[in-house]
Amino acid sequence: MDIEPPTGLRCEHLVDPLGVDVSRPLLSWTLENPGRGQTVRAFRVIVASDEENALKETGDVWDSGLVTPAGSNSVEYGGKRLRSCTRYHWRVMWVSGGKEASRFSDVARFGTGLLDRRAWKARWIGRARCTEHVSGESVNVGITTGPLVLAHGVYLRKEFSTPCSERVRRATACICGLGFYELYMNGRRVGDRVLDPAQTDYGKTALYSTYDVTDLVGERNAVGILLGNGRYIKNYGFSHPRAILQIQIEYVSGGKETIVTDGSWKCSHGPLLENGLYSGERYDARLEMPGWDQPGFSDSDWDRAVTLRERMPVSQMVQPIRVTRTITPDRVSKPEPGIHVVDFGQNFAGWVRLRMKGPRGTRISLRYAELVDDEGMLNMGPNQKADASDIYIMKGGGPESFEPKFTYHGFRYVEVKGYPGTLTKDDIQGRALNSDMEGTGRFRCSNGLFNKIHDNILRGFCSNAMGLPTDCPQRDERYGWLADAHLAAEMAMFNYHTAAFYRKFLRDIRLAQKRNGSLPNVAPPYLPLYPADPAWGSAYITIAWLLHNHYGDTRLLREHYPYMKRYVDFLSKVSEDHVIRGIGKFGDWCSPGETYPKKTPVELTSTWYYFHDVLLLSRIAGLLGERKDAETLSNLSERIRDSFNREFFDGVRYRGGGPGAGNGVLNQTSNILPLSLGMVPEGKEKTLVEEMVSSLKDDHDHHLDTGIVGTRYILDVLTDAGHGEAACRVASQRTYPGWGYMIERGATTLWERWEEYTGDGMNSHNHIMFGSIDAWFYRVLAGISCLSPGWGKIQVRPHVLGELTFAEAAVKTVRGTVSVSWRRDDDSFTMDLQVPVGCESVIWIPLLWKGASIREGDSVIWERGKKTETVKDISFTGVDGMHAGFRSGSGTFRFVEKRQA
Ligand code: BGC
């Protein structure tokens, strides 16, 4: 049988990226269509200077030869020194354990950016002074509304020619524009990125993007850059946006030319009168400057740009933000004369595209909200201080359309005022944006509520993936709150290819670290809240750990290890006798009826996360071969556990705390946390679990009573303790508090709180921090989990809970697709399974009936509590609770369990 060539080729975790800026990029791929017990003997990668050479037998840039894989399907580039702004073409083949060789894969590409800071010849440029634009409208330039500045967009332009005797072989543009930019060439918008570049701590670093502009360069050329404010202006005290651009042109003749931003560029204001991340945009189409981005435009009344001395940017190696969905409204209503309210039927982050026709000077205003009141008018409460409004002034004379550029809103409803005529569903569309990561997961089951929760979580994650994981898209925050990020990270890794996204975020966190190791609550630290609540700061180690697990890239752990250590040292320094008091603030944030936790002591969550981080770091140290550290950290974790128990355990249960704790009811979070990490003193665990399960039933009627921290672990703890049914009841609740309650109330994303609306502003309807339940769907209902870094060892252990009759999930891992699909009826349980090449699989079949038999394919492999026939490639490992265990390798399998008469 032929073995299939590799697919899913990536460089630095991205598909065909441009702007690669490391000298030894990581090349990776997946292997699909696994045969039984298929292993990998070797890979061979060839890298070539062009497509033609890539199709030859060997690469003219690199031929790895046959290499034995060390771990996952990846190789670090080891060929000739890479050159800046150059395109490389590569392919890979593999040899199986049985020595069959595959064909080479299709050709993938990667392009380098400016590999060396000295390769930057361009200068940062900006506008010298902040003059007001006169538009007939009264427009304030540079005023602050809410916390971010509303200032005009800046237009920059420059013309250049190429020699008529030359043909362009390749042109590459590297650009950074802060806060955000759009790049134009010869009347065309370059690329489809929006809100680019991804936000960073601009005082320390900024990111440039790389575009292939070969097809846009002609003999006479004009380059235009439009700049918006983003967070750059207010947070960094800079008064004007700035940009840097370098276009490297290579001619067929071998000649080269570099076009750069410098003092010869011109700048102006234009139709984009104001733009603010929270406030929105004001755009006066009457001020448009047709041809400003084309050669021949008269810019004599434009100002000269000034050059600025700032640090050079580094390459943005993360998926850009794009418009990923266009949404048709469900309904347009007219609650009052002159006011249309559009309902998109779902909450999302982005903006609208509006089409209209009418008289010049018509002013249309848009306001965005997540909720409407009983009269159908917008409820702007959840937006807090974000104005969330856009204004468009029409130029008239024909059909026109408007779509903002440098803002975004979190909303389901839009109010449109001043629209000329009657607004219909055809005139307005929702445009949803997010960091454009490839989907890698699929989950469905027979419980419609779970499917809805899953869908809401995906919408919520996307709404909060904006170059960094944010808390919410609607109010004047949208920050990288660390807890929100790590609590949702595992869920995200099942569903999307997040390696580059979280790699960027880990760097944001590292850059934000203080010399004493302290981390902020928010990264980049737009709110300089130091030190982080330990439940927030844990993001650094937790996300690094999860990333390594899901993507198997050890380089990241190595890069961050010294700084993670520094963070743990910081925690040690602030602890007293291994208990952390004082620096925690939010703890089990947002449990029912509150934001700040009244029931769960913050010192308990803080100390628990201290233990958690030290434990993970000791494992990381072990993986990196830092044996001494691993041992020291592991000893430290034991001391923390002892202190934790001394401080919070009363011999039977862990205490709650604060005014809400005095009623004798067992505190869920306080007890879930130590159970989840096996911290309970020996011999005490069983009683504690029993107490917890009976309290869940008697005191809470199977509802959770947890905030974001407890919620992350409650379902896993119950399931692992053999109480999957109780977990399933908690997850299935349709009454308050629970995910199902949100759905019953019409939620299309997750709320910030278990309450729908409290009126105190803390009522985002699009937070992702309760989204951890989705990982439980994958790991427990479908049963897929990763047992060793990079999915080398996979566990499949489905749970048939509640009324479930089927569940299916597929995860495109770095090895290939793992998929599980099971269904049950009164007499049988059937599970189809796919395990990728090179993986070890640990398969657990739920034992649904006493004395059932299990077949795999045509062979009965288990009967009456015992292993029967021996099937090649599958070995029986024993019974654990309610599952029978088998071990195997890769392949597709069908297990059928039958009830015996
Ligand atoms: C944010 C969060 C965040 C929290 C810190 C809120 O305002 O929206 O989700 O984690 O503050 O307690």
Side-chain angles (χ1 to χ4, degrees), residues 493-508:
M493 290 176 198
F494 275 114
N495 288 298
Y496 296 94
H497 203 295
T498 62
F501 180 71
Y502 286 120
R503 173 178 60 194
K504 186 255 174 196
F505 190 56
L506 287 179
R507 288 181 182 152
D508 290 336

Side-chain angles (χ1 to χ4, degrees), residues 297-562:
F297 176 82
S298 161
D299 58 17
S300 52
D301 60 342
W302 284 39
D303 297 330
R304 229 167 232 294
V306 290
T307 55
L308 306 159
R309 289 174 76 85
E310 298 287 348
R311 197 178 280 130
M312 292 302 148
V314 298
S315 184
Q316 170 165 308
M317 289 302 291
V318 57
Q319 293 93 338
I321 301 174
R322 292 196 176 96
V323 173
T324 52
R325 288 187 303 139
T326 297
I327 304 163
T328 313
D330 267 10
R331 218 161 74 92
V332 179
S333 60
K334 223 174 165 183
E336 276 185 17
I339 297 186
H340 291 96
V341 171
V342 182
D343 177 1
F344 285 98
Q346 60 179 276
N347 199 323
F348 63 98
W351 53 59
V352 295
R353 179 163 64 194
L354 187 68
R355 297 203 180 88
M356 68 302 260
K357 201 172 158 194
R360 186 176 174 82
T362 307
R363 178 190 163 106
I364 304 173
S365 39
L366 305 163
R367 285 201 307 157
Y368 299 77
E370 297 188 297
L371 306 174
V372 286
D373 62 21
D374 295 343
E375 273 73 55
M377 299 293 280
L378 299 197
N379 174 350
M380 302 287 280
N383 293 352
Q384 292 192 6
K385 288 196 203 120
D387 282 351
S389 59
D390 297 322
I391 294 173
Y392 179 76
I393 300 164
M394 293 175 58
K395 57 186 170 215
E400 51 199 293
S401 80
F402 167 65
E403 192 164 353
K405 302 169 188 302
F406 300 138
T407 186
Y408 72 100
H409 313 287
F411 65 104
R412 168 174 168 168
Y413 302 95
V414 182
E415 175 195 84
V416 185
K417 268 190 194 164
Y419 189 80
T422 299
L423 180 73
T424 70
K425 288 205 262 183
D426 298 333
D427 303 317
I428 187 163
Q429 291 168 317
R431 304 273 279 164
L433 335 169
N434 57 273
S435 289
D436 193 7
M437 291 169 264
E438 305 74 15
T440 52
R442 186 164 52 77
F443 170 80
R444 272 295 173 261
C445 69
S446 59
N447 180 324
L449 179 67
F450 289 172
N451 295 338
K452 279 193 184 155
I453 295 172
H454 170 73
D455 294 346
N456 284 11
I457 287 172
L458 297 193
R459 265 194 291 273
F461 174 71
C462 287
S463 307
N464 283 298
M466 292 288 174
L468 71 150
T470 64
D471 56 337
C472 58
Q474 72 299 90
R475 67 176 178 234
D476 49 330
E477 292 211 45
R478 315 178 196 186
Y479 296 124
W481 284 96
L482 266 58
D484 308 45
H486 77 79
L487 294 170
E490 190 193 9
M491 166 280 290
M493 290 176 198
F494 275 114
N495 288 298
Y496 296 94
H497 203 295
T498 62
F501 180 71
Y502 286 120
R503 173 178 60 194
K504 186 255 174 196
F505 190 56
L506 287 179
R507 288 181 182 152
D508 290 336
I509 297 177
R510 191 193 68 206
L511 277 182
Q513 185 172 46
K514 292 213 162 148
R515 222 174 263 165
N516 67 358
S518 160
L519 294 173
N521 280 306
V522 164
Y526 301 132
L527 296 178
L529 299 177
Y530 291 87
D533 182 309
W536 269 241
S538 178
Y540 194 27
I541 292 174
T542 302
I543 295 179
W545 171 256
L546 287 170
L547 259 193
H548 181 251
N549 238 331
H550 279 252
Y551 303 101
D553 180 354
T554 313
R555 296 174 313 167
L556 271 179
L557 290 184
R558 213 170 279 293
E559 173 185 336
H560 291 281
Y561 181 68

Side-chain angles (χ1 to χ4, degrees), residues 153-212:
V154 171
Y155 293 74
L156 296 160
R157 75 181 304 276
K158 162 90 185 173
E159 295 191 15
F160 69 93
S161 308
T162 58
C164 54
S165 54
E166 294 277 20
R167 262 187 41 234
V168 175
R169 177 167 183 264
R170 171 84 57 208
T172 307
C174 298
I175 179 171
C176 176
L178 301 178
F180 302 126
Y181 72 89
E182 282 189 351
L183 174 63
Y184 295 83
M185 268 183 89
N186 299 332
R188 301 241 313 264
R189 166 96 202 278
V190 178
D192 57 0
R193 300 172 169 219
V194 299
L195 301 180
D196 204 60
Q199 298 173 46
T200 51
D201 181 348
Y202 304 116
K204 293 189 172 145
T205 192
L207 305 177
Y208 72 85
S209 299
T210 306
Y211 296 94
D212 186 329

